[in-house]
Amino acid sequence: MERTVHAPARRAAALCLCLLLLAGCAGPGAAQSRPAETELFAMDTYMHLRAWGPEAEAALAELSAMLQRLDGQLSVTDPGSEIWAVNHADGAPTALSGDAFTLLSRTLDFCAGTRGALDVTLYPVSRAWGFTTGDYRVPDPEELARLLPLVDCSAVTLDADARTVTLPPGAELDLGAAAKGYAGALAAELLARRGVRAAMLDLGSSTICLTGRKPDGSDWRIAVQDPEDPAAYAGVIACGPGSICTSGGYERYFIAEDGAVCWHILDPSTGRPAKAGLLSVTVLCPDALTGDLLSTALFVMGPERAADWWRAHGGFECILIDENRNILVTEGAADRFTPMGAYTHAELTVIGREE
Ligand code: AMP
Ligand code: MG
């Protein structure tokens, strides 16, 4: 049996800073459009919020409070959260707030369409690997075989009138693949309500939400991390308003005794780290929740299924980095993505509408 000998779990703080530099300054006239800025720790990550304009300061204060509130509701490890209550209800219906119910309902609908790539009931398995506690280990096959039957999002029952959720005994939810995206979608609504016309919200590097354009009218520039070097970038994307969500094995992983890299994105069909040929997936999508769901799901699907999904559904663009260091870009993002660093000369494959 494998045993864990090494367990690095990296935080995104350093990367955030560099990313902000790339995404950053407003260029000529920047002094007059200095942004309001806030930093906070929520959803297990450092967040950095920037907004421009007269309403910016008040909007960011409201936004920070909202992010902390959502964290308290959706955390899988906080005994005061709604998700904790659901996971400890032992088969009884549990009432949810409007936000938790909406997020769960949208996530379940999405999971159902992914043919097993995304499953919100994966928690018993990811806990066995230690991904939420940091107590990393490789579960043995018997343990996985015992836990896998609990992973079945079709067994979750929602009652929209009573706004309750009921799980089979032993089943547990984990909204980790979607919570930051939902927060980003709510944040975009809040900023629009407040009349903020330019904002860049870094909800922990893997979820970036952009409102409007940079105050000088130019595109935002968002870096994509080199999945094999936390200090480097694989490229930069020029983008307008919307969300940029990235899922990558490098975000949380440990090395098992046999040298296998074990990361936090799992394949629900095996209960093991999803190794479908990708190192990272970056999704550009108007809606941050959809982008967050998609980036995790496409990572599990692998390059061929991801390309098929894009052709069939559309509504987003993506940049895939595969395990051979090739970069695949859907055609709508091809002109906006510039490889850099170790990827400057990487083979860049454009995914077109026709197969
Ligand atoms: P993300 O960073 O958005 O890709 O989300 C990763 C998080 O989603 C993990 O830390 C787990 O909490 C959760 N997760 C991992 N694999 C899956 C999966 N196949 N389906 C649903 N949630 C997952
Ligand atoms: Mg996600």
Side-chain angles (χ1 to χ4, degrees):
M1 192 188 92
E2 292 163 294
R3 275 193 324 128
T4 307
V5 293
H6 182 49
R10 287 201 300 271
R11 285 283 164 268
L15 176 69
C16 294
L17 277 177
C18 304
L19 187 145
L20 288 167
L21 287 177
L22 262 179
C25 331
Q32 70 186 34
S33 58
R34 198 178 294 280
E37 296 191 57
T38 304
E39 284 179 355
L40 68 151
F41 188 83
M43 299 186 169
D44 204 23
T45 189
Y46 290 96
M47 300 185 171
H48 188 139
L49 319 176
R50 299 205 292 178
W52 285 258
E55 288 291 330
E57 195 117 3
L60 290 192
E62 200 179 325
L63 196 47
S64 299
M66 184 197 79
L67 290 165
Q68 301 284 16
R69 174 178 58 77
L70 282 176
D71 188 15
Q73 290 169 322
L74 305 175
S75 165
V76 77
T77 50
D78 176 355
S81 83
E82 296 182 37
I83 298 305
W84 175 281
V86 173
N87 288 350
H88 293 80
D90 207 17
T94 308
L96 292 178
S97 64
D99 278 328
F101 191 88
T102 303
L103 170 57
L104 180 56
S105 154
R106 282 195 57 190
T107 302
L108 282 168
D109 284 349
F110 188 89
C111 287
T114 65
R115 286 191 291 142
L118 206 73
D119 196 308
V120 73
T121 61
L122 195 66
Y123 191 54
V125 175
S126 58
R127 188 183 39 219
W129 287 86
F131 285 119
T132 42
T133 57
D135 192 10
Y136 300 120
R137 58 190 274 275
V138 179
D140 61 44
E142 293 75 33
E143 185 178 1
L144 285 180
R146 190 166 44 74
L147 294 175
L148 273 175
L150 297 171
V151 180
D152 179 7
C153 57
S154 70
V156 178
T157 310
L158 291 187
D159 181 334
D161 296 327
R163 216 164 66 194
T164 59
V165 55
T166 310
L167 304 183
E172 290 175 278
L173 300 177
D174 171 11
L175 288 162
K180 283 194 280 173
Y182 184 68
L186 287 193
E189 285 172 22
L190 188 157
L191 293 173
R193 261 198 325 275
R194 280 277 190 172
V196 172
R197 295 222 296 271
M200 186 179 76
L201 311 179
D202 175 354
L203 307 182
S205 284
S206 62
T207 308
I208 309 282
C209 298
L210 305 168
T211 292
R213 297 201 176 264
K214 276 167 54 177
D216 68 358
S218 64
D219 282 337
W220 305 98
R221 288 165 54 77
I222 301 297
V224 174
Q225 194 184 326
D226 180 335
E228 292 170 300
D229 181 352
Y233 298 113
V236 61
I237 317 167
C239 21
S243 71
I244 294 105
C245 298
T246 298
S247 291
Y250 61 86
E251 288 183 329
R252 187 165 300 182
Y253 69 94
F254 66 93
I255 314 281
E257 199 173 56
D258 65 355
V261 179
C262 302
W263 51 56
H264 67 308
I265 303 176
L266 303 175
D267 183 339
S269 67
T270 62
R272 299 187 146 270
K275 302 255 168 116
L278 292 174
L279 298 181
S280 81
V281 173
T282 298
V283 171
L284 286 71
C285 184
D287 172 53
L289 173 56
T290 309
D292 197 0
L293 291 163
L294 270 170
S295 66
T296 316
L298 300 183
F299 186 93
V300 178
M301 289 179 192
E304 287 83 19
R305 277 181 71 195
D308 288 346
W309 179 285
W310 174 76
R311 290 188 189 103
H313 296 85
F316 71 97
E317 303 294 337
C318 62
I319 296 146
L320 315 175
I321 301 183
D322 77 12
E323 59 196 8
N324 299 316
R325 295 178 158 218
N326 298 315
I327 300 183
L328 299 92
V329 193
T330 51
E331 63 187 12
D335 291 345
R336 296 198 254 154
F337 179 75
T338 311
M340 62 193 279
Y343 287 84
T344 306
H345 305 293
E347 190 176 323
L348 212 144
T349 305
V350 177
I351 302 170
R353 292 275 159 211
E354 306 300 325
E355 232 175 298

